[in-house]
DNA sequence: GCGCTCTATAAGGTGAAGTTAGAGCGCCCC
DNA sequence: GGGGCGCTCTAACTTCACCTTATAGAGCGC
């Protein structure tokens, strides 16, 4: 069973012609080369060199083997560069799942920026509801998730990475467009866009209304804040969306208003409990956090 | 610098799930696997496994590396089969040069028979004059030559491998066809096919004539005995050719007569002095010799 | 709590691969 | 023809990657 080192020595000797020069190239002593060649001949059962007046002349067999060995060396080199790239995060595939409001805005920008300095890195971004995200992560199809709502799935762990708040987006020609702040309960007085009380976002807003003894009303029900933004931009009416949805997008079709009261929301990262997270994912997570902070302040 | 053994252990553990089963498969002890994994992690600088409640769960990086390693294993296996094939002569390329009389008959048959049991073996047969054969061998383009004349080139060594003789081939309707033997000097009395006095064959025949004080005459001059046979078969006249040219061919267009006197010729193998001959060539050489003997007797 | 399965650690053995030192051979050149 | 040069080979010793056995300890099912 010939091994890689033996092939390396064999090829080098054939290439440079003498054991002495091969030894120099491989940074070992000349006898090391000489012994290795003899040993290789004995285990392969082949005559690899003809000893002619103190010189080594490779046989056709040796040349043939050395030629074939090139493919092996290529694969060896390939593995090494892959290991190096994996260490510095410029190889591998980063599977991320996120809610549309993040994925369409700041997250996709962050991913693009992250990938820019990492040639060879493959990324995948799947958008979906919190249930879909949870499913992707718990099954191992995504290794990192981001959402403004959290999951209670036993094999997914969620950790808050940033604080945000609801903002109200208002079509340009809407009466609310001149207000400095929008009172949340006032949304009942105009046709607005909102979320089902079955969703976490809906429940969050519900609480403001119920505190005032009111019941929330809305003209248009959507599932994601990203959709809400689109509807608002289309002129349907005002909508409450997470401020993350606006980061990295300068949407001139709507005006953004702070709300009264302020409704804080949390962006969480989601990771699988059973599957280990890759170095790459961990690196991206911290990259995203600082990217996020910069985006907010800037 | 990760090595092949480390990749083998890594891949096996990922494949079978536990160090214990991997150890069993690789025929080593369990701690050997455990230590190897740790060592691999330390030299690559990557976390390859998540230790979770006493179990090992591979990270995406580890899986990625293991996948890439498959290509390396494939090349490794390839080299090993090539070495095995080279040892038993069923790989490599056998470059042979020969004179046409041998190459068109017994040699090509021998080569076919030799290659039959050696899948993967490539052969090449170049026909030419002794000068062309010599050139091919001394330059390394052929590693084995066969000829009925010998070369004096300093970097080509010739060793006789078989004895033969001239025979006279006669067209079926020729007057000589009824003789039991053909006297060589009688060839002067009919239009015959022969070789230039510049060639070794021509000089060999010349000697018979000059011993009788005669000068050889012929109607048709050819270079190779194979050509002479074709001309004779075409009805031009009788020709002296080496008996090797007839081995393995049952030519019904001519009759073969022994000559008076008998003119022995030698078939020699030619090998390069500077380039080593491959095991393959040596194997073929002895194969050819026994094949040859069998052909002669049979 | 017991037995089973798994991983990790400790301490020691072995052989492949490397070292230095030196001999021997062929070639070239004065 | 003798000395320098470049090459290969042998011998004896060192080193370390990889292996061993023995053992500990954690998690899990009954």
């Amino acid at each position: 069973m010939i091994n890689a080192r033996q092939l390396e020595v064999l090829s080098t000797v054939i290439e440079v012609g003498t054991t002495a020069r091969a030894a120099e190239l491989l940074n070992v002593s000349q006898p090391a080369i000489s012994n290795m060649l003899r040993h290789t001949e004995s285990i392969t059962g082949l005559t690899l060199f003809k000893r002619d007046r103190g010189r080594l002349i490779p046989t056709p067999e040796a040349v043939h083997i050395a030629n074939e060995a090139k493919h092996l060396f290529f694969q060896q080199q390939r593995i090494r560069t892959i290991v190096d790239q994996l260490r510095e995060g410029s190889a591998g595939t980063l599977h991320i799942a996120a809610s549309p409001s993040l994925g369409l805005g700041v997250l996709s920008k962050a991913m693009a920026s992250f990938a820019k300095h990492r040639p060879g890195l493959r990324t995948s971004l799947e958008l979906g509801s919190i249930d879909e995200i949870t499913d992707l992560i718990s099954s191992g199809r995504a290794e990192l998730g981001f959402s403004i709502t959290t999951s209670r799935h036993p094999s997914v762990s969620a950790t808050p990475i940033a604080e945000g708040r609801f903002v109200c987006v208002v079509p340009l020609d809407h009466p609310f467009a001149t207000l400095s702040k929008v009172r949340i309960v006032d949304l009942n007085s105009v046709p607005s866009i909102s979320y089902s009380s079955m969703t976490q976002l809906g429940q969050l807003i519900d609480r403001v209304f119920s505190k005032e003894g009111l019941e929330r009303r809305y003209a248009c029900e959507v599932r994601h804040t990203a959709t809400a933004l689109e509807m608002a931009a289309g002129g349907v009416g005002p909508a409450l969306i997470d401020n993350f949805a606006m980061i990295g997008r300068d949407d001139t079709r709507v005006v953004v208003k702070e709300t009264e009261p302020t409704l804080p929301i949390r962006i969480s990262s989601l990771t699988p409990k059973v599957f280990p997270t890759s170095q790459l994912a961990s690196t991206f997570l911290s990259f995203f956090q600082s990217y996020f902070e910069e985006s907010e302040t800037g």
Side-chain angles (χ1 to χ4, degrees), chain A:
Chain A
M1 288 282 259
I2 195 165
N3 69 27
R5 180 58 172 167
Q6 290 162 347
L7 289 170
E8 191 182 7
V9 170
L10 176 69
S11 298
T12 309
V13 170
I14 289 177
E15 197 179 327
V16 304
T18 69
T19 58
R21 297 222 293 136
E24 198 179 334
L25 259 176
L26 296 173
N27 287 316
V28 294
S29 66
Q30 179 273 323
I33 302 292
S34 195
N35 291 333
M36 182 70 81
L37 291 183
R38 285 208 160 276
H39 184 225
T40 306
E41 282 188 319
S42 89
I43 61 166
T44 58
L46 292 171
T47 304
L48 297 172
F49 292 91
K50 183 183 169 191
R51 273 79 176 171
D52 183 60
R53 284 163 301 184
R55 302 298 157 107
L56 292 176
I57 305 165
T59 62
E61 280 87 355
V63 174
H64 189 183
I65 293 173
N67 274 330
E68 297 295 338
K70 281 177 190 154
H71 302 294
L72 186 77
F73 299 148
F74 178 79
Q75 289 301 334
Q76 245 179 358
Q77 192 47 54
R78 205 176 122 77
I79 296 278
R80 276 169 195 158
T81 57
I82 284 172
V83 168
D84 288 347
Q85 288 174 343
L86 282 176
R87 184 173 26 240
E88 59 196 40
S90 65
T93 308
L94 183 58
H95 293 276
I96 293 183
S99 55
S101 64
L102 289 163
L104 294 173
V106 63
L107 179 57
S108 55
K109 292 217 166 188
M111 286 175 72
S113 163
F114 186 75
K116 202 168 188 176
H117 308 288
R118 292 174 170 78
L121 175 65
R122 297 170 57 89
T123 57
S124 103
L125 174 60
E126 195 79 27
L127 302 183
S129 67
I130 182 63
D131 292 332
E132 289 165 335
I133 295 171
T134 303
D135 184 46
L136 284 168
I137 290 178
S138 63
S139 69
R141 281 171 292 163
E143 38 177 344
L144 200 53
F146 295 103
S147 177
I148 50 176
T149 51
T150 60
S151 161
R152 296 188 183 282
H153 196 282
S155 64
V156 172
S157 62
T159 50
I161 59 165
E163 289 277 339
R165 62 196 179 283
F166 272 109
V167 292
C168 185
V169 288
V170 184
L172 290 179
D173 56 354
H174 195 272
F176 283 12
T178 57
L179 302 174
S180 63
K181 280 194 179 185
V182 171
R183 287 186 62 225
I184 288 177
V185 290
D186 286 351
L187 286 169
N188 263 7
S189 63
V190 296
S192 71
I193 303 149
S194 200
Y195 313 95
S196 160
S197 291
M198 304 295 288
T199 67
Q200 292 186 38
L201 294 181
Q203 288 159 15
L204 202 62
I205 304 169
D206 272 347
R207 251 173 264 151
V208 178
F209 283 87
S210 58
K211 201 175 277 177
E212 307 269 332
L214 296 171
E215 190 173 350
R216 179 165 58 107
R217 289 206 306 270
Y218 46 85
C220 176
E221 178 180 307
V222 294
R223 183 144 203 94
H224 303 298
T225 58
T227 332
L229 172 59
E230 289 306 309
M231 300 296 284
V236 175
L240 291 175
I241 66 165
D242 56 301
N243 66 322
F244 311 125
M246 299 309 293
I247 293 177
R249 316 173 99 189
D250 42 353
D251 200 320
T252 54
R253 302 168 301 172
V254 292
V255 289
V256 179
K257 302 291 171 185
E258 294 297 326
T259 66
E260 177 62 36
T262 305
L263 257 188
I265 47 180
R266 241 183 205 149
I267 179 169
S268 296
S269 71
L270 306 171
T271 51
K273 273 182 185 160
V274 279
F275 301 104
T277 43
S278 64
Q279 266 91 323
L280 190 56
S282 313
T283 309
F284 178 74
L285 183 53
S286 45
F287 174 87
F288 183 51
Q289 274 187 282
S290 41
Y291 185 92
F292 198 89
E293 282 162 21
E294 280 169 28
S295 297
E296 270 189 318
T297 58

